[in-house]
Amino acid sequence: MGAFFSNLPQYLVNGIGSSCVYILMAMGFSLVYSSTGIINFAQGEFAAISALVAYTLSMDLGLPLLLAVAGALALTGFVGLLLERAVIRPLQGKGTLTAIIATIGASIFLKAGARIIWPEEAYKVPEFTQGQLNLPKASFNAQLLWMLGLTAFTVAAMYLLMNGTKLGKGLRACAINPEAARLVGIDVSLMSMAAFAIAALLGGLAGLVSAPFANYGMGLYLGIKGFTAAVIGGLGDVYGAVLGGITVGLLEEVVAGFLSVVLGVSSGYKDAVAVILLISVLLFRPQGLVGKGLVEKV
Amino acid sequence: MLILRNISAFYGNIEALRAVDLHVQEGCITTVLGSNGAGKTTMLRAISGLIPTRYGEILYYGRNIAGEPPHRIVRMGISHVPEGRQVFYQLSVRENLELGAYVRSWRKKAEIEKDLDFVYRLFPILGERERQLAGTLSGGEQQMLAIGRALMSRPRLLLLDEPSMGLAPMVIRDIFACLKRLHQEGLTILLVEQDVQIALSISDYAYVLRTGKVVLEGPAEELLKGERIKKIYLGEEF
């Protein structure tokens, strides 16, 4: 037990890194859900595609890292657009559930496609900055600073987008009442396209900062954990995603430490944390920890 | 200003509008009366582009707008106050009104601000509750907000779907007084109502719709005096 507590700072530092990734993923889930009512099960694939494309651009084609990252994000955003136009749009009027199932199909399709292009089990995605930094009780890769900085920047940008721009107000209006949104002149179809494209960028960023290694299947775990974070946060605004991401990220690493140091079992079981959290929240507080019931007076 | 020519529209598999012809004269209040399920709401939804029409033309200043999406219709100057108000519950009164101005350039802030003032003068209670969430307003206040929101796009033609529904008589009188005022300031209104008396009292011309067909039309005063409308409502005819 003593070893567990002395290692706790390290677990928390590790947890901050995962939290950033889950926050980004959760914002993607929440944005699409709140503006279209669809849970996009292909959200994890955005992360995988972007990380793998970044690998190819920088390692195979030798592009500078910045260009590779920009290229990977641009392509992932385009995949998001395409997903909305080719899969979601044709199903308009067929019900939300149909669209959700279609995203599961899209996820399988993208995963299989990625496997053809990137068949290996692991590709080394370049880190933005090499090296390790040491604190008194913990150490971390310099990459963590990038993760923190980029996540903080993205959270702030999303907040401004949703609250300070016309696009954001349109997206929020669609989330609250799609029909009323149409009646005030918002192009709901355009909003849905924008939501998917932005969610793809968020997922893409998560994939880029998430791991030193990427493969075609990484989207599954990132998807589950990001989705859990989003559900904890109530699948709504930016705050919820941040809260959910931190909850899942920190808890997961602390549990991993507990499992390996105290119980002596594989820390790989930590992946169950997100699933258990997801089931508990759905059972006991389906509106999320911060979700409020609908204020409505008839 | 607006002419419906031979319009048919379906609600699921049911033909909710059957070859309807209707004229809205610029500067007038035109009312469509009819009981539940007569096709009144379907007609407004067809005009504002929320549902497709199967046959016929919707001519707005001579141009056929049938099949245009709602966001274009709003930009053309037709604003729809929907059945059941449909305000954005989780947003404040002010945010609701600002969304009403969504189609206008946000660079014209001063103009939009002026129109906000106009709405607050029309419905002072909305000004008092500016910061309150729309979901916490009473039914009458929500109706005022829905009308105010529709006005914020600066429409030339206002479509109103049963503004009296579920409201106390006094509130209904207030709202209709405001509609009359808007009309006097030059707004053209197409009103759909079940409350015959109050609707006809402010209208210039009226149609009666029954199971998707126009069964009676004429100047509002004549309909108000005539016996036929009562008979239609009581089901003694047809």
Side-chain angles (χ1 to χ4, degrees):
Chain A
M1 212 61 186
F4 171 71
F5 283 111
S6 66
N7 282 339
L8 200 55
Q10 183 65 54
Y11 303 147
L12 293 176
V13 167
N14 296 346
I16 291 172
S18 342
S19 298
C20 290
V21 176
Y22 303 157
I23 289 169
L24 294 170
M25 292 296 292
M27 285 196 296
F29 275 110
S30 302
L31 178 63
V32 167
Y33 176 76
S34 63
S35 49
T36 65
I38 295 170
I39 304 284
N40 173 23
F41 282 104
Q43 178 71 25
E45 272 52 59
F46 294 146
I49 289 172
S50 134
L52 291 167
V53 169
Y55 165 83
T56 300
L57 292 181
S58 68
M59 296 306 189
D60 288 347
L61 302 180
L63 292 182
L65 188 57
L66 189 67
L67 271 184
V69 164
L73 281 179
L75 197 103
T76 310
F78 182 69
V79 171
L81 272 185
L82 214 63
L83 174 69
E84 202 277 340
R85 283 293 104 155
V87 179
I88 305 301
R89 188 90 192 279
L91 294 174
Q92 206 176 25
K94 301 271 192 298
T96 312
L97 190 61
T98 315
I100 293 174
I101 292 167
T103 68
I104 298 176
S107 155
I108 296 170
F109 175 83
L110 290 171
K111 207 173 292 171
R115 188 176 189 171
I116 294 171
I117 307 173
W118 296 280
E120 309 287 330
E121 279 306 310
Y123 292 89
K124 176 96 179 68
V125 180
E127 289 168 339
F128 298 162
T129 311
Q130 303 275 337
Q132 207 169 21
L133 299 168
N134 294 303
L135 291 176
K137 286 190 177 290
S139 64
F140 56 90
N141 290 331
Q143 179 82 357
L144 184 66
L145 295 178
W146 278 104
M147 291 168 105
L148 266 177
L150 282 172
T151 305
F153 172 79
T154 311
V155 166
M158 279 295 288
Y159 181 81
L160 287 178
L161 175 78
M162 294 309 282
N163 293 288
T165 70
K166 200 163 178 167
L167 175 65
K169 291 195 175 164
L171 285 165
R172 279 173 71 202
C174 289
I176 296 169
N177 187 334
E179 180 157 309
R182 296 173 80 189
L183 287 177
V184 298
I186 295 167
D187 184 345
V188 173
S189 149
L190 190 73
M191 290 300 132
S192 153
M193 207 164 85
F196 271 88
I198 297 168
L201 289 177
L202 291 166
L205 195 60
L208 287 173
V209 298
S210 72
F213 299 104
N215 69 18
Y216 60 84
M218 71 190 264
L220 177 64
Y221 282 112
L222 285 182
I224 290 174
K225 291 165 185 181
F227 178 58
T228 305
V231 169
I232 290 174
L235 276 165
D237 52 22
V238 176
Y239 306 119
V242 171
L243 179 90
I246 291 174
T247 309
V248 179
L250 290 185
L251 210 59
E252 190 176 81
E253 289 302 326
V254 171
V255 168
F258 188 78
L259 286 172
S260 62
V261 173
V262 180
L263 302 181
V265 295
S266 161
S267 63
Y269 286 112
K270 72 174 181 183
D271 287 337
V273 169
V275 182
I276 293 169
L277 270 175
L278 178 61
I279 293 170
S280 321
V281 171
L282 290 179
L283 274 179
F284 300 111
R285 219 181 138 73
Q287 74 272 41
L289 292 184
V290 288
K292 5 180 205 297
L294 193 65
V295 191
E296 202 169 320
K297 190 166 173 182
V298 189
Chain B
M1 179 181 210
L2 187 82
I3 299 170
L4 267 57
R5 198 177 279 163
N6 194 28
I7 279 291
S8 292
F10 286 72
Y11 186 83
N13 281 326
I14 305 153
E15 191 174 21
L17 284 181
R18 294 191 273 178
V20 168
D21 285 294
L22 183 133
H23 281 236
V24 176
Q25 206 81 44
E26 187 148 19
C28 289
I29 298 184
T30 308
T31 292
V32 177
L33 300 164
S35 51
N36 256 339
K40 307 181 306 290
T41 295
T42 306
M43 188 180 80
L44 291 192
R45 291 171 69 83
I47 296 170
S48 61
L50 286 173
I51 55 161
T53 52
R54 195 71 65 92
Y55 312 106
E57 290 177 316
I58 301 173
L59 298 171
Y60 178 60
Y61 288 113
R63 183 178 155 208
N64 187 9
I65 59 165
E68 294 277 356
H71 63 268
R72 286 229 196 93
I73 306 263
V74 179
R75 282 182 168 80
M76 291 175 199
I78 300 180
S79 205
H80 182 168
V81 182
E83 191 180 19
R85 1 259 191 228
Q86 307 258 22
V87 293
F88 297 104
Y89 290 126
Q90 295 97 319
L91 299 182
S92 70
V93 167
R94 192 189 168 93
E95 287 174 309
N96 267 276
L97 293 173
E98 283 172 350
L99 274 170
Y102 189 85
V103 295
R104 296 163 64 184
S105 164
W106 284 16
R107 257 164 275 146
K108 294 182 179 158
K109 253 203 145 96
E111 248 180 58
I112 292 174
E113 206 63 41
K114 236 173 61 194
D115 290 351
L116 265 174
D117 274 348
F118 173 77
V119 171
Y120 289 154
R121 259 182 288 127
L122 192 64
F123 302 115
I125 188 81
L126 294 183
E128 289 166 32
R129 314 229 147 148
E130 199 179 13
R131 304 264 153 230
Q132 216 168 302
L133 293 187
T136 65
L137 299 179
S138 73
E141 290 158 2
Q142 286 186 9
Q143 187 62 58
M144 293 172 193
L145 180 56
I147 295 170
R149 183 181 68 187
L151 293 174
M152 289 301 290
S153 68
R154 285 239 176 143
R156 286 199 268 194
L157 170 62
L158 189 68
L159 312 177
L160 281 151
D161 198 342
E162 296 211 27
S164 75
M165 196 200 266
L167 301 182
M170 223 168 69
V171 182
I172 297 177
R173 263 204 309 277
D174 280 354
I175 285 175
F176 275 77
C178 286
L179 294 181
K180 197 160 180 186
R181 213 182 116 195
L182 289 168
H183 165 240
Q184 280 159 358
E185 294 189 17
L187 188 65
T188 309
I189 294 176
L190 175 57
L191 171 71
V192 148
E193 256 303 341
Q194 285 200 58
D195 189 331
V196 178
Q197 291 296 324
I198 188 127
L200 289 181
S201 74
I202 64 161
S203 298
D204 298 297
Y205 200 85
Y207 293 81
V208 179
L209 218 57
R210 197 183 150 103
T211 56
K213 281 177 109 83
V214 174
V215 290
L216 183 65
E217 64 171 280
E221 287 165 38
E222 284 180 26
L223 288 188
L224 205 51
K225 280 184 287 185
E227 285 296 303
R228 249 189 105 203
I229 194 162
K230 288 179 197 158
K231 286 185 185 155
I232 287 172
Y233 261 89
L234 294 171
E236 286 170 24
E237 275 188 33
F238 305 97

